[in-house]
Amino acid sequence: MRKVDLLYLAMLFLVLLLHYIVPFTLLRECSGFELYTYWLLLAIAWIIVTGVYMEKRVR
Amino acid sequence: MLTAPFISLLAIYIAMGTIIALVSRRFGVKSSADYFVAGYRLGGFLASMTYAATTYSAFMMVGLVGLAFATGIAALGFELAYLIATMGILATVGPTIWRLARERGWVSPSEMVSDLYNSQILGMAIPVLYLVALIPYVAAQLKGVGEIFDVVGLGYGVGIVVALGLVLLWTLIAGVWSVATTDAYQGIWMLGASISVTLWLSTALIPSSNLDVSRIVEVLRTTASGNLLSNTWPINVFIGFTTPWLFFAITNPQVVQRLYMPRNSRAYRGMVRYFAIYGLLYTALVVLIGLAFRAYVASMLGREMEIHLVKNRDMVTPYMLSLASPLLAVFTFVSIVAAAISTANSIILSVASSITRDLYERRARVVKQQTSRVIAWSSIAVMSMAAAIIALAKPAFIVELSVLSAALLLPLAPVTLVGLYLQPGSKGRVPALSALLSIASGFAIMLLAAIVYGAKKALITTWLGIPIPLWVLIVSTLIIALGTFISRCESR
């Protein structure tokens, strides 16, 4: 397994952790659409990272 | 009032879909590889659209709108957990499966596990697992169609019969070619409807009730179910519901099989990219629809109606559309039929491929294409009818049925991952036996829980503070890990 693959897997675990932990801690009580925006931005960021990774990795 | 426009639009939808399915026959179906995996030659766009339409079922516009309406923004986290994990799987495990499928000539999803562990017994056991786990899922799709027909005044039973007919027609015409092309067509219909409903809510219904953004926020913070802008799901419910979803991409045969199909690496990347964009947009819109309509109901129709719809959340979408123009309502209803059909026929075709390949073609000395075709068609017909009979009994909530199906297939996740990376092409009894034990144990735990607690409670009940789906994953992983350890000790 190459370094870039390990880095991608580590990021996957980190993103999933953030997806689960933040809504139960920092964003437990929301007064607006903060949680909606947070989850959406996290998913968008992850899609971009995955796109970049696949361009390099899947040939 | 909606009956006539619904019949008209449904007729157009069926006619166009059937023309598309008939045209797809020109791609040519000679072997079971052509019939079930398009001869490994799908382009990026078609691959992505069939992946999206197969994944996103009646669950979205009926189940997820209702879930967002009843429980708030947590529904977005639940669905996006799936998308994030699926992106991870499609970028890492997916390319390995795609490459091995063409190298080894895999056609059915169970053939992959059977080949990785060099075990015919696994190839026979997994199709049975698919049948038990996925027929309720298909039934949930047909139930969605039945409910739409009921709402427009055509009757629940008529909806089941029409859905059954469409599944059979579009599957039998050209196998996965007709399924993939009609999936692409239906996927566009589904996304188009969700965009139209969002536009209608934001430009017509919400403004007509004098709700602005600040008022919507205020209403959603103070609903009968609490602050819907916060995460209202307890942690055990969130984990219990999302765990089966995280591994959906490598446990559910209809999506695993789609990894075999892209014609080259460029098409594979295209499939992942377009699916991600589709999934994100569709999910964000569907949750927004549920939330916006909850704000409307809470502020305009009173607490009694709000609570009634929370208790009957599968009726939220039909009720919402009863307030829309007939054209938008029937367009969306037909999109829900499309979502249900595109998922149901993909599942049925995928399970039929497992039965045909693993129970006949890989065991027969001489494979006759005519016999393969008869087995495939019979499997498709029997499964469709079984699902229709279950759907007629009106099973539990669509969301729970969908997640329960994924939970029953969860033990396939560790078995597939170990087979791909730790024991590829392993010989000897221990790896295959441990894989079989791992699948059987995980499946038994989930099935037992579903029987004892019921579909919904099985997903959220905890043992020693751990949700049952997580137990399934832990037990299955431990068994396959132990098998791998013993196998490695033996080989040394």
Side-chain angles (χ1 to χ4, degrees):
Chain A
M1 201 177 259
R2 293 181 306 181
K3 213 172 180 180
V4 65
D5 301 325
L6 285 173
L7 184 66
Y8 180 80
L9 276 179
M11 284 177 75
L12 171 62
F13 285 116
L14 180 68
V15 167
L16 279 173
L17 269 179
L18 289 172
H19 185 89
Y20 279 76
I21 291 173
V22 172
F24 288 97
T25 51
L26 295 173
L27 292 175
R28 197 177 181 86
E29 281 302 318
C30 296
S31 53
F33 278 85
E34 300 93 313
L35 185 55
Y36 186 92
T37 312
Y38 167 75
W39 266 329
L40 211 57
L41 288 179
L42 193 65
I44 291 170
W46 183 241
I47 287 169
I48 293 169
V49 168
T50 300
V52 172
Y53 170 75
M54 285 191 67
E55 280 299 320
K56 291 180 188 287
R57 175 78 171 73
V58 184
R59 289 277 163 196
Chain B
M1 188 184 149
L2 288 177
T3 312
F6 178 76
I7 291 173
S8 310
L9 204 60
L10 188 73
I12 294 170
Y13 155 77
I14 293 174
M16 282 180 69
T18 307
I19 292 168
I20 289 169
L22 287 169
V23 169
S24 75
R25 291 175 73 161
R26 73 186 170 88
F27 292 109
V29 176
K30 289 179 187 133
S31 64
S32 58
D34 289 326
Y35 192 77
F36 292 120
V37 290
Y40 311 101
R41 53 196 166 105
L42 276 194
F45 176 73
L46 211 52
S48 68
M49 289 304 282
T50 187
Y51 198 101
T54 297
T55 302
Y56 295 118
S57 59
F59 162 77
M60 294 295 278
M61 273 305 275
V62 179
L64 196 60
V65 167
L67 201 61
F69 180 96
T71 67
I73 278 176
L76 180 74
F78 159 65
E79 193 59 30
L80 286 183
Y82 157 76
L83 191 64
I84 288 173
T86 298
M87 286 294 101
I89 289 169
L90 294 183
T92 53
V93 185
T96 310
I97 294 176
W98 170 75
R99 182 176 49 79
L100 287 175
R102 57 200 55 230
E103 276 175 18
R104 302 192 185 191
W106 293 340
V107 170
S108 78
S110 46
E111 193 176 349
M112 172 180 73
V113 182
S114 164
D115 189 34
L116 289 171
Y117 286 91
N118 209 8
S119 161
Q120 283 202 347
I121 298 171
L122 275 171
M124 288 188 282
I126 294 172
V128 177
L129 174 70
Y130 288 159
L131 280 173
V132 178
L134 290 170
I135 284 190
Y137 194 14
V138 176
Q141 305 309 314
L142 303 186
K143 181 183 176 236
V145 178
E147 278 170 358
I148 297 301
F149 272 64
D150 205 25
V151 168
V152 298
L154 287 169
Y156 182 85
V158 177
I160 302 294
V161 172
V162 170
L164 177 67
L166 276 180
V167 166
L168 288 173
L169 181 69
W170 291 354
T171 310
L172 295 177
I173 285 178
V176 80
W177 281 112
S178 48
V179 167
T181 48
T182 52
D183 276 0
Y185 156 69
Q186 294 180 103
I188 293 167
W189 198 294
M190 287 152 60
L191 194 60
S194 68
I195 292 170
S196 304
V197 172
T198 310
L199 286 174
W200 164 68
L201 278 169
S202 56
T203 60
L205 191 73
I206 300 287
S208 74
S209 56
N210 290 324
L211 280 169
D212 56 17
V213 176
S214 60
R215 177 79 184 125
I216 289 173
V217 167
E218 193 187 319
V219 171
L220 289 175
R221 278 173 55 195
T222 53
T223 67
S225 320
N227 180 1
L228 297 185
L229 296 171
S230 295
N231 188 2
T232 54
W233 294 21
I235 185 83
N236 64 310
V237 174
F238 198 74
I239 292 174
F241 265 66
T242 51
T243 302
W245 244 221
L246 297 182
F247 297 95
F248 188 91
I250 45 165
T251 57
N252 275 54
Q254 70 277 20
V255 285
V256 170
Q257 201 173 31
R258 268 148 184 76
L259 301 180
Y260 303 173
M261 298 180 195
R263 68 170 162 242
N264 51 33
S265 58
R266 192 166 169 228
Y268 184 90
R269 290 198 305 272
M271 175 182 85
V272 178
R273 193 185 309 125
Y274 300 135
F275 165 69
I277 295 166
Y278 187 106
L280 186 76
L281 191 60
Y282 197 38
T283 304
L285 289 177
V286 163
V287 172
L288 214 50
I289 289 169
L291 288 171
F293 189 61
R294 177 70 182 255
Y296 172 82
V297 171
S299 61
M300 300 300 292
L301 304 179
R303 194 138 280 200
E304 203 177 317
M305 176 55 84
E306 195 186 347
I307 292 168
H308 171 72
L309 287 173
V310 167
K311 284 182 180 165
N312 301 281
R313 57 179 197 245
D314 284 351
M315 292 314 293
V316 169
T317 299
Y319 181 75
M320 175 179 71
L321 293 173
S322 71
L323 306 173
S325 72
L327 186 65
L328 177 65
V330 295
F331 176 49
T332 311
F333 284 146
V334 175
S335 85
I336 295 167
V337 174
I341 301 297
S342 60
T343 298
N345 59 12
S346 299
I347 293 173
I348 285 173
L349 190 66
S350 188
V351 180
S353 76
S354 283
I355 293 169
T356 311
R357 284 291 284 184
D358 295 288
L359 301 184
Y360 168 62
E361 289 186 353
R362 296 182 72 217
R363 298 175 65 78
R365 283 185 187 164
V366 181
V367 175
K368 292 179 183 168
Q369 287 304 321
Q370 186 62 26
T371 312
S372 293
R373 216 165 290 152
V374 170
I375 294 172
W377 288 348
S378 314
S379 313
I380 289 165
V382 170
M383 276 187 290
S384 306
M385 276 186 255
I389 291 165
I390 295 172
L392 283 171
K394 297 194 178 183
F397 282 126
I398 285 177
V399 174
E400 282 82 18
L401 272 180
S402 306
V403 183
L404 182 64
S405 292
L408 287 168
L409 295 173
L410 200 49
L412 287 170
V415 168
T416 305
L417 290 174
V418 167
L420 282 169
Y421 296 108
L422 297 179
Q423 303 183 339
S426 55
K427 300 239 169 13
R429 281 186 182 175
V430 176
L433 189 67
S434 59
L436 198 62
L437 262 177
S438 169
I439 293 168
S441 313
F443 180 74
I445 292 170
M446 203 62 235
L447 190 65
L448 192 72
I451 292 166
V452 173
Y453 302 114
K456 185 183 176 183
K457 279 195 176 170
L459 297 166
I460 58 174
T461 301
T462 59
W463 292 339
L464 301 173
I466 296 173
I468 293 171
L470 210 51
W471 274 115
V472 170
L473 201 60
I474 292 167
V475 170
S476 302
T477 306
L478 283 177
I479 293 172
I480 194 71
L482 188 67
T484 307
F485 178 72
I486 294 170
S487 160
R488 290 202 168 179
C489 288
E490 272 185 348
S491 64
R492 274 176 201 164

